[in-house]
Amino acid sequence: MTQIWLLSNGIGAVAFLAVAAFMVFGVHARHAASRLLLAACVVSAGWFAFLAAAPLVSISGPWLDVIETARTGFWLVTAAWIVPRVSNSLRHCWLRGLAAAIPVLVLSYLLWRVVAEGGATTGGHSMVFTIGALVMSLYGLVLVEQTYRASGLDARWAVKYLCLALATIFAYDFVMYSGALVAHRIALSVWNARGAVNALVAPLIGLAAVRNAQWSARLSVSNQVIFGTGALIVAGAYLMIVAGGSTYIRRFDSSWAEVGALLFTIMSTLLLVVFFLSGQVRGYARVMLHKHLLPYRYDYREQWLALTRRLSRDDGDSDVYERAIRAIAEPVDSPAGALWLARDGRFTYVTDWNMTSAVDVSEREDGALADYLARTGWVIDREEFERDPAKYDGLALPPWFLGLERARFIIPLFAGQRRLVGFLVLAEPRASFELNWEEIDLLKAFAQQIGVYLDYQEANRALTQARQFEAFNRLTAFLMHDLKNIAGQQSLMLENAERHKNNPAFVDDMIATIDHSVTRMRGLLNQLQKVSRSEHRTERVDVDAAVDQLIGDLASTRPTPVRRGPTSGAVVDADRDRLIMVLRHVVRNAQDATGEGGRVEVEIRARDGGVEIAVSDNGEGMTAAFIRDSLFQPFVSTKSARGMGIGAYQVRDFARSSGGDVIVDSTPGQGTRFAIVLPVVADSAAGTDLIQGSIDP
């Protein structure tokens, strides 16, 4: 073993001495790190020579610790000097200061120990030296990792071999002294192989010196690298504390000590992993880092690239609207959000990400909130509003926003020249912080980009619907042609039947049936013609009479619709044929949902100065998500090939074009109430005041 020791350390001494000579005579370095690298190579050569001679002259104990600490300290300072200087020079000074202070502190203790022991040179490695060697090797790995990750492609060409060499040196020492701290001894094979392993990386150091003597001139350190480095330092320090605690447990003279130390190590490691997986812990760590170490909270280049990646990412689990929410929520570490877009004269809830309580909330486009957002473009911070509402120019936050769980920010979305296309609501960030100018600027920049992105999505959606309607209009033209042929054939049947009837009762019934079908088809034909030409005539329509006619027409269908409640006397301005057509569609849908054994009821009642025609059933019902996202979307049908998916859309279009709206209340498995609300008009037979006074709303 002594021969292996001499050979290994002798090779290490010769290798580093050769690299030092090569750097003196073959490389004209101008960077300060090159001079430190030369000094580290010289000290390493002397160190391995000293180790090779130690068994021959019986040198051990504190003197070996002193010289090894000096050698490791030189490598640590060299690693710190190749890390580039960034705008925060104070942080850079701290980085280098720690690299120098750690070995100086360990050296001071070791020299004091030599003096205290009167120059004695016997004894093994001290605990302080072992811990110090661990700290230095861990800090060296951190510096190497930070340097390499911060390098661009051209800079890595110059520093990659030096980083690899330093990483090998520090990693070998860290593994060796970690084992020593736990097992109270260094494996002899590991100790003997150290010189040869270090000699393997000596050529890499020489190659790095040749490639670029100013290797750190083109490096920069991003905030992400600093955060990752800080996390690595904390994790390494924590694991060292765990190793120390495990060693302390093993000192107890008990058969359970080894098992207890193992359980302590495993539980502590699991606790570390749990904390690092916690979004809240990471959020607080980022806030502390940005407050005390970084001149700017965000690396804007990285943030902009990350926004582009998030918007273009298609993982199959989220649509473009949810991706837009996450794209702006993640930079401020918000765990939830919801999106509203301008649709049909209102800012309508579109979707959410982890904020389900925002469903079915809408804002008027001419409301106070929309006016404030469009006029100021300001990001509304709920905490700031509650602390100083005067900053918001008399704005009153809407009740629905105050009722959302943990909702904090309202962010306006613009497209073009200050055109408000929607807004986002974000939840309280995991680690709470005060919104300052930097977050506001970042959110505004992202909101502008996302506003344009969503505006294009909405335009594409409208274009798709327009193309679908174009196809539908062509279909209508074919349908009208076919209906004309059918109507002509039915008329011919009527003429022939009247000339050749034999059974008067049968033929009379047949004629009545055919006549009814002809009337129906011609009415449908006229209605389709008006729809295709967008021609709608309005007249005073008695709502009770229209509903009674509808129920009479559907008396033979199952389940038979039933009229409930008193007559209303309501009169509306509408297209009578279209009103009956849309009511027919609603009733037929209710019948389809219940089956022949179900219940379908029609009720007329006053509502907010208007009249409500409600069709109720006890059928299958619909989910809130289906009503919100699909029910009124054209060409979306639950009837497969039996439906075209435009009926509900036509019903709402008719109601809104008549000045009213549609209200749907449904519970899966219990039934649906589909109500058409229309404004009433004064009439000699039934005035508006009379209607509202005679029927309980």
Side-chain angles (χ1 to χ4, degrees):
M1 296 301 295
T2 301
Q3 292 177 349
I4 296 175
W5 168 272
L6 291 174
L7 181 62
S8 176
N9 289 289
I11 291 174
V14 171
F16 280 98
L17 184 62
V19 172
F22 173 73
M23 292 183 65
V24 170
F25 299 105
V27 178
H28 299 286
R30 298 185 301 275
H31 196 275
S34 299
R35 294 188 290 272
L36 287 171
L37 184 60
L38 174 61
C41 288
V42 172
V43 172
S44 292
W47 155 244
F48 284 117
F50 186 83
L51 286 180
L56 303 178
V57 294
S58 301
I59 297 177
S60 61
W63 283 118
L64 288 176
D65 293 349
V66 168
I67 300 175
E68 181 169 351
T69 301
R71 168 257 183 190
T72 307
F74 268 102
W75 284 119
L76 190 61
V77 172
T78 301
W81 247 257
I82 68 172
V83 177
R85 180 180 297 274
V86 293
S87 58
N88 191 341
S89 58
L90 180 61
R91 185 179 74 243
H92 203 75
C93 292
W94 274 100
L95 197 69
R96 293 180 174 181
L98 281 176
I102 296 173
V104 167
L105 289 175
V106 178
L107 276 173
S108 299
Y109 169 79
L110 295 176
L111 290 173
W112 170 82
R113 182 185 176 198
V114 171
V115 173
E117 294 179 0
T121 58
T122 58
H125 294 298
S126 68
M127 180 64 70
V128 172
F129 166 77
T130 304
I131 295 175
L134 269 176
V135 172
M136 287 189 289
S137 57
L138 175 62
Y139 191 44
L141 287 172
V142 167
L143 294 174
V144 171
E145 182 264 350
Q146 179 172 308
T147 299
Y148 187 78
R149 287 186 60 184
S151 305
L153 292 177
D154 55 344
R156 286 183 181 178
W157 179 86
V159 299
K160 62 182 179 181
Y161 292 119
L162 179 60
C163 289
L164 179 60
L166 294 178
T168 302
I169 293 173
F170 290 128
Y172 194 92
D173 288 356
F174 183 80
V175 171
M176 183 176 69
Y177 285 110
S178 295
L181 188 64
V182 174
H184 300 286
R185 64 183 182 85
I186 299 175
L188 190 59
S189 58
V190 176
W191 182 254
N192 288 340
R194 191 182 187 189
V197 171
N198 278 251
L200 292 175
V201 303
L204 299 179
I205 297 174
L207 181 58
V210 169
R211 283 197 164 187
N212 194 345
Q214 293 181 330
W215 46 68
S216 65
R218 290 172 289 179
L219 302 183
S220 62
V221 180
S222 68
N223 293 354
Q224 187 64 30
V225 171
I226 294 174
F227 182 76
T229 299
L232 186 59
I233 293 174
V234 172
Y238 177 83
L239 291 175
M240 289 177 58
I241 295 173
V242 170
S246 177
T247 301
Y248 179 77
I249 294 174
R250 285 188 174 91
R251 294 180 61 183
F252 289 96
D253 188 14
S254 170
S255 59
W256 291 96
E258 189 69 27
V259 176
L262 180 61
L263 289 175
F264 173 75
T265 302
I266 293 175
M267 286 190 299
S268 301
T269 304
L270 286 175
L271 182 63
L272 177 67
V273 173
V274 169
F275 269 96
F276 268 87
L277 290 178
S278 170
Q280 188 172 7
V281 171
R282 294 198 306 272
Y284 277 114
R286 287 192 182 95
V287 171
M288 294 297 295
L289 180 68
H290 294 144
K291 278 185 176 179
H292 302 293
L293 290 179
L294 301 179
Y296 297 102
R297 178 176 174 85
Y298 300 101
D299 185 329
Y300 292 97
R301 175 181 173 275
E302 290 296 329
Q303 290 293 341
W304 200 258
L305 292 174
L307 174 69
T308 304
R309 288 193 297 269
R310 286 191 289 266
L311 289 177
S312 59
R313 180 177 57 202
D314 186 5
D315 51 14
D317 296 329
S318 60
D319 58 17
V320 293
Y321 300 105
E322 183 176 325
R323 289 203 300 271
I325 299 173
R326 298 182 64 176
I328 201 170
E330 291 179 6
V332 294
D333 207 22
S334 174
L339 172 65
W340 281 258
L341 291 177
R343 291 179 178 176
D344 302 322
R346 302 183 68 87
F347 286 104
T348 305
Y349 164 87
V350 175
T351 189
D352 67 86
W353 174 55
N354 300 332
M355 190 179 277
T356 55
S357 57
V359 175
D360 296 333
V361 174
S362 64
E363 272 288 324
R364 292 169 48 192
E365 284 192 2
D366 57 352
L369 176 63
D371 177 70
Y372 178 84
L373 294 175
R375 177 167 42 86
T376 65
W378 192 251
V379 176
I380 299 176
D381 181 1
R382 182 174 178 175
E383 286 191 2
E384 183 184 54
F385 180 88
E386 294 174 349
R387 186 172 58 251
D388 188 6
K391 288 185 177 180
Y392 289 87
D393 193 23
L395 174 69
L397 291 180
W400 62 262
F401 175 71
L402 298 175
L404 291 180
E405 185 179 0
R406 297 196 67 195
R408 177 168 175 182
F409 303 119
I410 300 179
I411 305 169
L413 304 176
F414 292 96
Q417 297 297 321
R418 305 292 294 174
R419 180 168 60 88
L420 186 67
V421 297
F423 59 86
L424 277 162
V425 172
L426 294 185
E428 177 77 26
R430 294 182 178 92
S432 181
F433 61 87
E434 184 176 353
L435 193 69
N436 60 26
W437 65 268
E438 192 173 6
E439 281 83 19
I440 291 174
D441 284 351
L442 182 73
L443 290 175
K444 284 185 176 180
F446 280 5
Q448 183 72 31
Q449 181 69 16
I450 291 174
V452 174
Y453 171 78
L454 293 177
D455 191 45
Y456 277 120
Q457 293 293 333
E458 290 294 284
N460 184 64
R461 174 174 171 269
L463 178 61
T464 301
Q465 289 187 3
R467 289 176 175 173
Q468 290 174 327
F469 272 113
E470 182 182 354
F472 174 68
N473 286 335
R474 289 197 298 267
L475 176 63
T476 303
F478 287 113
L479 181 60
M480 288 190 295
H481 179 268
D482 292 340
L483 286 175
K484 286 180 180 178
N485 292 336
I486 295 174
Q489 292 172 359
Q490 294 285 354
S491 299
L492 183 61
M493 281 182 59
L494 287 174
E495 294 175 3
N496 293 333
E498 289 184 354
R499 288 197 301 268
H500 302 288
K501 56 185 177 182
N502 294 320
N503 187 342
F506 173 80
V507 175
D508 287 342
D509 184 70
M510 180 190 68
I511 293 173
T513 303
I514 295 176
D515 182 70
H516 180 69
S517 66
V518 170
T519 303
R520 286 276 312 277
M521 285 186 288
R522 284 177 175 166
L524 178 60
L525 180 61
N526 292 331
Q527 188 62 42
L528 287 173
Q529 288 174 335
K530 289 191 294 182
V531 171
S532 64
R533 296 194 302 264
S534 299
E535 294 178 0
H536 304 298
R537 61 182 179 87
T538 61
E539 59 182 313
R540 296 293 177 91
V541 180
D542 186 330
V543 175
D544 296 292
V547 170
D548 290 339
Q549 178 183 336
L550 171 69
I551 292 178
D553 291 343
L554 298 177
S556 60
T557 60
R558 295 291 181 273
T560 303
V562 178
R563 169 83 182 268
R564 299 294 185 191
T567 59
S568 66
V571 176
V572 298
D573 255 339
D575 185 323
R576 179 183 177 86
D577 293 337
R578 288 193 72 198
L579 174 60
I580 295 177
M581 183 187 73
V582 298
L583 288 175
R584 184 189 303 275
H585 172 80
V586 176
V587 172
R588 293 297 297 172
N589 272 357
Q591 291 174 325
D592 291 341
T594 58
E596 293 188 0
R599 171 179 53 82
V600 177
E601 298 177 349
V602 183
E603 181 184 12
I604 307 173
R605 57 183 300 182
R607 179 186 177 97
D608 299 331
V611 62
E612 178 184 271
I613 310 169
V615 178
S616 304
D617 65 73
N618 61 346
E620 300 172 355
M622 297 174 287
T623 64
F626 178 83
I627 296 172
R628 182 183 69 246
D629 300 330
S630 303
L631 178 61
F632 298 109
Q633 294 297 316
F635 309 104
V636 177
S637 175
T638 59
K639 300 179 183 179
S640 185
R642 296 187 298 112
M644 293 182 61
I646 62 170
Y649 177 87
Q650 287 181 319
V651 173
R652 190 177 69 171
D653 180 68
F654 165 79
R656 291 184 173 178
S657 65
S658 302
D661 208 342
V662 169
I663 300 173
V664 181
D665 184 15
S666 184
T667 303
Q670 297 184 19
T672 301
R673 187 176 189 273
F674 197 112
I676 301 174
V677 181
L678 299 174
V680 298
V681 295
D683 187 79
S684 58
T688 302
D689 296 336
L690 177 62
I691 296 171
Q692 293 177 337
S694 61
I695 298 179
D696 184 21

